[in-house]
Amino acid sequence: MNISKNSVVSFHYKLSNNEGEILDSSEGREAFTYLQGTQMIVPGLEAQMEGKGKGDKFKAVVAPELGYGEFNKDLLQQVPLDRFGEQKVEAGMQFQAGEHSVVTVREVKDGQVLVDGNHPLAGVTLNFDVEVTDVREATKEELAHGHVHGEGGHQH
Ligand code: ZN
């Protein structure tokens, strides 16, 4: 069967930027499994998955606006260093800010911390090498829960 809304899809991938640097890869791991149509993967990749089948290998180039978003300067913020208390703060550190977002420390200077609320891959064109390893229909239960059960999914 071909991938369409409510397909359970397993795939291996290699993700690189336009400079050819590998940013992420499923190599050495289990294939990534998701439910098509639920935006569990970036929209630009989900769209290009549509119609593909088991065994298909393809390249998907995803622009930032269909990936992790454009880089937003408004998400850069100066925070006084003393707000971090005793905690050691250095450029490159990441902090949880709320339930779903992570901020990255860009710079510590003159008692101020420059924090960046952009996704680490914001503004990056994503180049995926994809190999679809399995496609099946979601069960009724999976559709009701909105996620995949079993291998590569929720175990409950
Ligand atoms: Zn469930």
Side-chain angles (χ1 to χ4, degrees):
M1 63 179 281
N2 292 334
I3 297 171
S4 61
K5 188 168 165 53
N6 297 335
S7 299
V8 173
V9 183
S10 298
F11 69 102
H12 276 292
Y13 66 93
K14 202 166 70 185
L15 168 61
S16 48
N17 59 18
N18 281 350
E19 287 69 50
E21 216 182 314
I22 308 287
L23 304 171
D24 191 15
S25 159
S26 62
E27 207 185 316
R29 285 189 270 155
E30 261 181 61
F32 186 82
T33 299
Y34 76 99
L35 184 57
Q36 176 80 356
T38 56
Q39 301 214 330
M40 260 185 75
I41 60 174
V42 294
L45 181 58
E46 188 170 68
Q48 294 182 59
M49 284 288 195
E50 196 75 23
K52 300 292 195 299
K54 182 174 176 173
D56 281 354
K57 289 184 185 180
F58 63 98
K59 281 185 195 299
V61 178
V62 176
E65 63 266 30
L66 293 174
Y68 293 99
E70 298 286 0
F71 188 84
N72 181 356
K73 269 193 275 175
D74 295 341
L75 295 176
L76 292 171
Q77 202 189 345
Q78 294 279 6
V79 179
L81 182 58
D82 55 25
R83 279 230 240 135
F84 289 85
E86 296 295 298
Q87 196 163 13
K88 189 170 167 55
V89 182
E90 288 175 334
M93 286 178 77
Q94 294 192 315
F95 292 95
Q96 193 75 30
E99 203 179 335
H100 295 293
S101 61
V102 168
V103 298
T104 306
V105 173
R106 293 290 168 214
E107 192 181 54
V108 183
K109 200 176 157 190
D110 303 327
Q112 294 285 317
V113 180
L114 181 63
V115 296
D116 181 357
N118 285 285
H119 187 282
L121 294 179
V124 175
T125 297
L126 309 170
N127 297 271
F128 287 98
D129 278 294
V130 176
E131 181 182 359
V132 179
T133 57
D134 198 31
V135 183
R136 65 172 171 85
E137 257 175 82
T139 63
K140 277 200 177 88
E141 196 185 38
E142 286 173 323
L143 291 178
H145 289 198
H147 57 226
V148 176
H149 290 163
E151 212 177 313
H154 284 241
Q155 316 280 345
H156 67 156

